[in-house]
């Protein structure tokens, strides 16, 4: 909700920004353009040579039968190398990588975050004694070394990594608005951003739903401090809390809506089942939980193979088990009465190889 009830200090409204050199911006732009080539022309060329390698035989109907053909393609080998190492270069180049840019400015950035957090009161609840789940500690998701919880600058690096993935002329928050357009058109008194990260999704939600009392929950303290800072910059009064998503410290029947963006593939199915049960508990009767998520293409095993390969090329460790999960069954078991799964921003049908990415939109109702 718009800020009220306490003074907003000047340094809270000044935008926290990493100082980016011209070389840093040029290098990150290069990585973006290369990624666009990979996901477009390179995948198309891969598909063309995949069909040629079949030699007129019927296209395989399962991933298992596609792998032996794809593995020998130069395009797939280049694609896999690039998917792995361009992401590594993005973060780890010692001169123009994200970590280098953030670390060079860490003292100033940390001071700004700490200054705002010190005035947060109960609007930012951190838990230094929280026990991080093993699945969370074991994986450096997206090759973000040390995860997004172990260094004070992890939230800043995570947010910068998101922005540098998006073309410079594009709005990195567009995906949130596209998602929110799929929600039922109604008033939502109290909203929960489930896995809020840098908090941009919650800011977009508040713009569209000024009636909502907004809460963001995450297990990463560095991300939550940044999310709170961003909320103060925007002039919003939001509440952020550090919690394990399997154990939400909210009352029963508390929220009208909870939302996420591409969270399920980062969680082992057994943990996701417990989280869905918790979400069901904290939602009001008739409340919804919704958001988009990656999935493998429903019919094309070639595209399924490309998407599945990201599991190891980009440390998407739990993605394969997510693709195998019967999500509707899991959501029903957690207590949700209605579960809808529909294509989200689908790629052009009939153009196999245009992109390996496939997304669904998941809408659950209590």
């Amino acid at each position: 909700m718009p800020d009220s009830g306490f003074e907003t200090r000047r340094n809270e409204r000044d935008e926290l920004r990493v100082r980016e050199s011209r070389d840093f911006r040029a290098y990150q732009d290069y990585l973006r353009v290369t990624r666009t080539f990979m996901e477009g022309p390179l995948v198309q060329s891969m598909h063309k040579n995949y069909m040629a390698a079949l030699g007129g035989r019927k296209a395989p109907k399962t991933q298992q039968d596609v792998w032996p053909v794809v593995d020998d393609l130069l395009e797939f080998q280049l694609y896999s190398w690039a998917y792995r190492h361009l992401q590594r270069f993005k973060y780890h180049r010692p001169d123009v990588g994200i970590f280098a840019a953030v670390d060079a400015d860490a003292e100033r950035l940390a001071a700004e975050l700490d200054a705002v957090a010190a005035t947060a009161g109960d609007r930012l609840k951190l838990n230094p004694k929280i026990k991080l789940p093993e699945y969370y500690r074991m994986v450096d998701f997206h090759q973000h070394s040390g995860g997004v919880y172990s260094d004070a600058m992890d939230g800043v690096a995570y947010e910068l990594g998101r922005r540098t993935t998006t073309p410079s002329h594009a709005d990195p928050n567009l995906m949130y608005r596209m998602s929110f357009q799929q929600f039922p058109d109604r008033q939502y008194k109290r909203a929960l951003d489930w896995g809020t990260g840098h908090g941009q999704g919650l800011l977009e939600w508040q713009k569209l739903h000024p009636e909502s009392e907004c809460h963001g929950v995450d297990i990463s303290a560095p991300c939550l401090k940044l999310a709170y800072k961003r909320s103060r910059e925007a002039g919003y009064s939001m509440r952020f809390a550090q919690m394990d998503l399997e154990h939400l410290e909210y009352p029963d029947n508390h929220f009208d809506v909870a939302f996420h963006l591409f969270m399920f593939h980062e969680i082992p199915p057994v943990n996701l089942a417990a989280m869905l049960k918790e979400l069901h508990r904290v939602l009001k009767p008739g409340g919804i939980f919704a958001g988009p998520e990656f999935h493998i293409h429903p019919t094309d095993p070639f595209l399924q193979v490309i998407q599945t390969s990201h599991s190891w090329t980009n440390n998407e460790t739990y993605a394969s088990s997510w693709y195998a999960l019967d999500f509707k069954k899991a959501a029903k078991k957690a207590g949700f009465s209605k579960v809808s799964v529909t294509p989200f921003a689908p790629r052009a049908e009939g153009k196999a190889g245009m992109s390996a990415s496939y997304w669904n939109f998941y809408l659950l109702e209590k």
Side-chain angles (χ1 to χ4, degrees):
M1 300 177 70
D3 188 17
S4 62
F6 59 99
E7 178 185 358
T8 300
R9 296 166 177 79
R10 182 177 181 277
N11 70 322
E12 291 181 338
R13 300 302 294 271
D14 291 343
E15 183 179 359
L16 181 143
R17 291 183 63 85
V18 177
R19 296 187 180 111
E20 303 173 16
S21 69
R22 183 176 181 180
D23 286 345
F24 173 85
R25 290 194 296 269
Y27 181 68
Q28 297 294 330
D29 285 344
Y30 160 75
L31 294 181
R32 272 194 295 256
V33 171
T34 306
R35 182 71 173 264
T36 299
F37 169 79
M38 287 168 49
E39 297 295 352
L42 184 58
V43 172
Q44 294 173 39
S45 178
M46 189 195 313
H47 184 261
K48 179 181 178 181
N49 288 336
Y50 162 74
M51 296 302 293
L54 292 176
R57 291 176 288 143
K58 284 187 176 181
K61 295 184 178 180
T62 67
Q63 287 193 53
Q64 289 74 16
D65 293 330
V66 172
W67 280 111
V69 183
V70 169
D71 271 340
D72 288 335
L73 297 178
L74 178 61
E75 290 87 353
F76 180 68
Q77 296 164 13
L78 175 59
Y79 179 89
S80 298
W81 182 94
Y83 211 99
R84 179 69 179 175
H85 294 294
L86 292 185
Q87 182 78 351
R88 182 170 65 87
F89 297 161
K90 169 180 168 177
Y91 281 105
H92 292 275
R93 272 287 298 264
D95 47 357
V96 287
I98 288 173
F99 290 151
V102 171
D103 289 345
D105 218 4
E107 185 175 351
R108 176 185 64 85
L109 295 168
E112 290 187 29
L113 288 170
D114 289 342
V116 175
T119 69
D122 64 358
R123 289 176 175 78
L124 177 62
K125 293 183 177 180
L126 302 180
N127 180 5
K129 296 182 179 180
I130 195 168
K131 184 178 180 180
L132 301 177
E134 185 175 2
Y135 78 86
Y136 185 74
R137 292 186 289 105
M138 291 286 286
V139 177
D140 291 345
F141 297 100
H142 306 153
Q143 301 184 63
H144 186 126
S145 295
V148 294
Y149 62 87
S150 61
D151 187 276
M153 290 293 98
D154 278 336
V156 178
Y158 176 46
E159 182 189 56
L160 188 56
R162 176 193 77 118
R163 183 172 62 77
T164 53
T165 300
T166 306
S168 55
H169 63 276
D171 180 357
N173 288 340
L174 175 62
M175 191 62 66
Y176 293 110
R177 295 195 296 276
M178 290 174 62
S179 174
F180 297 152
Q181 288 172 1
Q182 311 300 314
F183 285 45
D185 185 12
R186 64 173 82 153
Q187 297 284 298
Y188 297 95
K189 181 180 179 181
R190 188 176 290 123
L192 176 66
D193 186 358
W194 187 75
T196 191
H198 39 64
Q200 292 296 324
L202 200 58
L203 296 183
E204 291 298 322
W205 177 269
Q206 187 78 96
K207 293 174 187 176
L208 295 171
H209 292 277
E211 80 281 3
S212 293
E213 175 187 295
C214 288
H215 297 250
V217 63
D218 206 290
I219 201 165
S220 165
C223 284
L224 288 165
K225 290 174 74 171
L226 177 64
Y228 179 73
K229 174 70 168 74
R230 296 303 187 208
S231 75
R232 302 301 301 132
E233 291 170 358
Y236 290 134
S237 177
M238 297 174 168
R239 297 178 183 273
F240 296 91
Q242 185 180 16
M243 299 179 193
D244 182 345
L245 298 182
E246 294 184 50
H247 306 285
L248 298 176
E249 298 169 19
Y250 297 110
D252 295 355
N253 307 317
H254 194 60
F255 292 101
D256 299 277
V257 61
F259 56 84
H260 74 99
L261 194 77
F262 302 116
M263 281 281 290
F264 296 155
H265 74 284
E266 309 285 24
I267 304 166
V270 64
N271 301 91
L272 181 57
M275 293 175 189
L276 290 174
K277 189 174 181 180
E278 268 292 85
L279 278 162
H280 182 269
R281 179 184 66 80
V282 301
L283 283 171
K284 296 177 182 178
I288 64 168
F289 173 53
E293 178 54 270
F294 302 112
H295 213 282
I296 54 174
H297 194 282
T299 60
D300 190 329
F302 169 79
L303 294 180
Q304 291 173 0
V305 161
I306 306 306
Q307 180 80 9
T308 300
S309 73
H310 302 168
S311 300
W312 52 86
T313 54
N314 199 35
N315 289 12
E316 306 283 13
T317 304
Y318 309 116
S320 293
S321 57
W322 155 245
Y323 300 149
L325 177 67
D326 185 339
F327 181 77
K328 286 188 175 181
K329 182 178 180 180
K332 291 277 189 178
K333 187 175 181 180
F336 288 95
S337 61
K338 297 180 182 178
V339 183
S340 169
V341 181
T342 55
F344 178 71
R347 306 304 186 193
E349 293 299 324
K351 296 184 179 180
M354 284 294 292
S355 173
S357 295
Y358 187 85
W359 306 330
N360 284 325
F361 184 78
Y362 298 81
L363 177 61
L364 287 61
E365 182 175 334
K366 180 172 178 177

